[in-house]
Amino acid sequence: MAGAADTAVEPAPRDEPRGAAPALAGLSGGRGPLLVTVAIVAAIALVLIVAYGIHDVAQRGVNGLVSGSYFALGAVGLTLVYGTLRLVNFAHGDLLTFGAYMAFLANVTWGVPIVLATLFAVVATAALGVLSERVMWRPMRGRGAGMLQLLLMTLGLAFVIRYGIQMIWGTFPRRLEVDVTDSISFLGLRIGRTELIVVIVGFVVLLAVGLMLRRTSLGRQMRALSDDMGLAEVTGIDTDRVVIATWIFAAGLAGLAGVLYTAAIGTMTPNLGFFLLLSLFAAVILGGIGNAFGALAGGLLLGLAQEWSTLVIDPRWKVAVGFGILILVLFVRPQGLFGRKERTL
Amino acid sequence: MTDELLRVEEVVKRFGGVHAVDGATFAVRGGSITALIGPNGAGKTTLFNVVTGFQRADRGEVVYDGRTVGGRPAHAIARCGMVRTFQITKALAAMPVIDNMTLAAPRQPGEHLAGVIARPYAARKREKAVRERARELLARYGLEQKADDYAGTLSGGQRKLLELARVLMVEPRMVLLDEPMAGVNPTLGGKLLEHVHALREQEGTTFLLIEHDMEVVMGHSDRVICMAQGRVIADGEPEAVRSDPRVIDAYLGGAAR
Amino acid sequence: MTPVFAVSLDALTSADFWIGVGVLAGTYTIFTLGLQLNVGFTGIINFGQAGFMAIGAYSMGILVVRAGWSLWAALPAATAIAMAAGVLIGLPSLRLRADYFAIVTIAFAEIVRYVAQNARGLTGGNQGLLGFDDQWLDVSDTILGWLPASMQDQFLLPLLIVVWVTVAILTGLLMLLQRSPWGRVLRAIREDEDAARALGKNVLAYKLQSIALAAALGAIAGYFLALNLSFLSPESFEPQFTFIGFTILILGGLANYVGVALGSLIMWTLLEATRFIDLPLAAEKVAALRFVIVGVALILLVAFRPQGLLGKRQEMVLRD
């Protein structure tokens, strides 16, 4: 019986009514939180515009969308893996690193054009994700591994990926064959040509991801599973197929995010994914852990918050803004902006 | 009523859009054995969770012993003398039975870091008294042979007995039992009920229990409260509640679902 | 043809090597005792122990170097600061599901490293912080004076002695605490915190005490690390050091305080021995190799021997 694991905090399934409908809803919190969020962001923007002028706010907003796009792409995979497998994957950041170095391998070492190199990186990272599922996560789940065991294994994997890369390529910063100096101006706002491409690619993919999650049956199954594994099994979803799809999706997007990050920033080091992991977690928790749309929104919001923060504080500290947001969300609204208050497990 | 120990007033608890408890109101008399019945999904366990502080009500009030306890943390409510058990027993399996018991005792200075360091003598003295009491209770409940075994080795029925004995270590005035008879063989179940009656007679302990077995409910409780869909639909003497058409309706409706 | 893997065994027989390993192993035993208290005995997953170590060590260094405090006054003050940090981190996250605390603590450790690197006025940034150990060096010389003349050229020997005396004292104290009624409540919380709550135990307060004590242990480990290196730099406190601690923890066995020292000795012997593997690699790549070893060891241990050397298998597997 599913109720065997219930605790007093979760309502016992056999004693409590609950509908399947909320589990399949999009932003489970409904429209309310979305409107509130938009209102808050608009209010903050307005205050900043009054204080610092529209040009600066818009320019940093543009920068924020650049970083927000790779935060969002990284965060959505992290949250889906958590949702479907109850696995907090501390190796997720290193999947971004892996993607970046795969692109480097194809683009610089083999001389493949950047577009193809990016595709190669996405496929290779997705393959790594599936491999980890088959070699590590599925066997461990089969053995009924506890949470601590799984968390420590993700960390072990993170070390193997990160330092394996460092053993091969060293810590010297590497570049892709992209022009990071060329920039264009639009309405007085400056954006790097590569950054523009990053934003466009990022948003197109985010949109595609969003549509996929909402419109296709695979996407709906992934979200249903992410929301409630027991429910998904009962309703006859082929969980194994969905789990593999989730890994392909999560790891592939992580690989892409790694490439986009490198393209936007200019260089990669083996630590890049670990440094980004903090921001990805902040985005995931901000959006409500397990909620795919929440992670997309959380990533974008975090990008904006970090860049706008540089108007007020020294840019050196913008990484700390992510941490500040993480703590603030846990205090004020631990279920995240779009999460449901209490999950029925 | 002047001698009521617990009063639940218009309590509402929602999960998402679902009202698990939807304006429940009732009172429990001190020294009584009150049964809480109702079809599956009536909100009984959620109500227990709210009353004992494990979940926060969205609306309404819980008054225990003349004090509002709504919003207070679970451990504080337990310390006031209102202690619960769980539907699925929570025997601490990797701890010996005796430690399960001694753990539950209140006023142990050795449970605080300062006490461990500054009052080792008081802690040892209290521990000795607590152990004695624990052995006594275990003997009364037929578990003395098991005292040094891990709780995980007990049978399902023995775990229920251990849980009841452990609750008594807290020195409760009111005990809330969530399906005490579920999964217990009839002999052991009968014993458990005897203990409940004995406690009520000797110590004046008040009991509120969720129970599905109608024979138990009718034979052992002074008062029956029936819930359906988050509300109290009947409240009275066992016989009166049994023949109440709304109760019959709720159960039949529940069965038909 | 010369073999690629040539290990010069001379190094393994030298006193320098073993004293170095001993100091590191002792330091990380103290570090991991904190993890054992949190993970093994309370059931809270602290992934930020390196952050507490950094806070302790840097607070000590800053108080001595920047504020001119005596080292002996700075040590308890810095320990208190680390404990306060533990409580502040625990307050928002310990009320939530266990994995939130893991996420928040790892993020916390990264932020601490980040601050150490960027708040240059206080911490010296990547240049490091020097000159906090004069008073210790006096003590060290005194201890060295008590030792036989043949040992007097081993200037790390006093640190080795002090670190292991500290290990013995702390291990003993923790074992006593674990046998007290206080330790019994922790054990109950680890098994089922709702049961503990239902019996009137203030679970959050106990978890905060557990994390504060672990932070203090992390800080103490930080002092020994600082005295060993004689300067503080952000890279000595990177978040990944927490997971060397976890590898030690699992190796020694969960819920076993004695196992920590054993695990730490084995782990550091192995890690330091990698320095003497003659690989045709740059230094940064050999450093990377050590962490690959940690990663592989962690995965294999957790998958195939989660009980470690001295633990019970159920301690790891049955919990969730």
Side-chain angles (χ1 to χ4, degrees), chain A residues 26-149:
Chain A
L27 291 173
S28 322
R31 291 255 172 254
L34 190 63
L35 291 176
V36 172
T37 308
V38 170
I40 290 173
V41 172
I44 291 171
L46 209 66
V47 170
L48 289 172
I49 288 169
V50 170
Y52 298 95
I54 189 153
H55 177 267
D56 277 4
V57 173
Q59 178 65 54
R60 311 229 176 174
V62 167
N63 299 347
L65 292 182
V66 175
S67 46
S69 61
Y70 51 73
F71 286 159
L73 286 174
V76 70
L78 187 58
T79 217
L80 276 176
V81 167
Y82 177 84
T84 42
L85 303 172
R86 292 286 172 270
L87 180 72
V88 180
N89 187 11
F90 285 98
H92 196 77
D94 300 285
L95 291 177
L96 272 76
T97 319
F98 185 79
Y101 276 86
M102 285 301 106
F104 174 80
L105 177 69
N107 181 227
V108 177
T109 313
W110 298 340
V112 174
I114 185 71
V115 175
L116 286 178
T118 306
L119 281 177
F120 170 75
V122 170
V123 171
T125 315
L128 181 65
V130 172
L131 186 75
S132 74
E133 161 66 16
R134 281 292 144 112
V135 175
M136 291 170 73
W137 312 126
R138 197 163 69 159
M140 288 310 285
R141 279 201 306 277
R143 280 198 248 163
M147 179 204 286
L148 177 63
Q149 267 179 299

Side-chain angles (χ1 to χ4, degrees), chain B residues 62-86:
Chain B
V62 178
V63 181
Y64 167 75
D65 198 15
R67 279 175 294 179
T68 302
V69 295
R72 299 194 64 186
H75 68 89
I77 292 175
R79 276 188 210 158
C80 292
M82 178 159 63
V83 189
R84 70 173 296 179
T85 66
F86 295 87

Side-chain angles (χ1 to χ4, degrees), chain A residues 22-24 28 83 86 222-229 340 343:
Chain A
L24 295 166
S28 322
R86 292 286 172 270
M222 275 161 69
R223 273 170 40 229
L225 199 60
S226 178
D227 225 45
D228 186 338
M229 201 156 193
R340 264 189 296 155
R343 296 175 67 90

Side-chain angles (χ1 to χ4, degrees), chain B residues 1-13:
Chain B
M1 231 183 324
T2 50
D3 57 348
E4 69 182 26
L5 189 58
L6 174 73
R7 194 171 73 243
V8 173
E9 250 173 61
E10 290 295 326
V11 165
V12 175
K13 178 71 191 169

Side-chain angles (χ1 to χ4, degrees), chain A residues 7 82 90 143 147-149 152 155 157 159 163 166-168 170-171 274-275 289 316 323 330 334, chain C residues 39 47 96-97 99-100 104 108 110-111 113-114 118 194 240 243 246 284-285 288 291 302-303 316 320:
Chain A
T7 65
Y82 177 84
F90 285 98
R143 280 198 248 163
M147 179 204 286
L148 177 63
Q149 267 179 299
L152 289 177
L155 279 155
L157 181 63
F159 273 33
Y163 292 104
Q166 190 173 323
M167 278 187 73
I168 297 169
T171 49
F274 182 72
F275 291 158
I289 193 162
R316 261 193 303 174
F323 185 68
L330 291 183
Chain C
V39 182
F47 277 178
L96 307 169
R97 280 196 311 257
D99 33 16
Y100 272 99
V104 169
F108 156 76
E110 172 62 6
I111 283 299
R113 183 201 63 83
Y114 195 81
N118 286 288
D194 283 334
Q240 47 265 46
F243 304 105
F246 267 94
E284 60 177 29
K285 296 188 177 179
F291 277 107
V302 167
M316 187 78 168
D320 200 9

Side-chain angles (χ1 to χ4, degrees), chain C residues 35-49:
Chain C
L35 293 177
Q36 187 69 281
L37 173 63
N38 285 165
V39 182
F41 287 104
T42 323
I44 53 183
I45 303 175
N46 169 7
F47 277 178
Q49 186 71 344

Side-chain angles (χ1 to χ4, degrees), chain C residues 14-30 136-137 139-141 143-144 147 151 153-169 220-221 223-229 261 264-265 268-269 272:
Chain C
S14 81
D16 289 354
F17 175 80
W18 289 108
I19 291 173
V21 166
V23 172
L24 279 170
T27 304
Y28 270 83
T29 302
I30 298 168
W136 157 251
L137 290 175
V139 173
S140 175
D141 286 343
I143 297 175
L144 214 51
L147 296 172
M151 294 185 185
D153 56 336
Q154 293 295 348
F155 71 98
L156 272 179
L157 214 47
L159 189 61
L160 180 74
I161 294 165
V162 174
V163 98
W164 280 96
V165 168
T166 311
V167 166
I169 293 170
I220 294 170
Y223 309 144
F224 285 112
L225 191 67
L227 295 177
N228 187 6
L229 300 170
S264 187
L265 279 168
W268 281 101
T269 306
E272 288 298 287

